[in-house]
Amino acid sequence: MTDLLAALGLVLALEGALYAAFPGPMKRALAVVAVQPEGQIRFGGLVALAVGVLLVWLVRG
């Protein structure tokens, strides 16, 4: 459970750093995502999920 909380904290820190460093490009990126079809967003999320699980599996063994 502590690994999950640490990972969540890392995600929030990285995302917060992106919004703090690049607010304009992040707003534009969100605007682009807002007009994408839900199926395309879902597919992108599933790809990100698979890559993330694979990466954790490779690193943690």
Side-chain angles (χ1 to χ4, degrees):
M1 185 65 166
T2 57
D3 286 343
L4 178 62
L5 291 175
L8 181 60
L10 183 59
V11 167
L12 290 173
L14 290 173
E15 198 160 331
L18 287 174
Y19 280 103
F22 310 106
M26 291 301 290
K27 283 178 69 174
R28 286 191 294 279
L30 290 173
V32 168
V33 170
V35 297
Q36 296 299 316
E38 287 185 12
Q40 192 172 8
I41 297 170
R42 183 173 289 116
F43 179 74
L46 289 172
V47 169
L49 172 67
V51 170
V53 168
L54 179 64
L55 183 61
V56 169
W57 181 66
L58 289 173
V59 170
R60 299 291 295 212

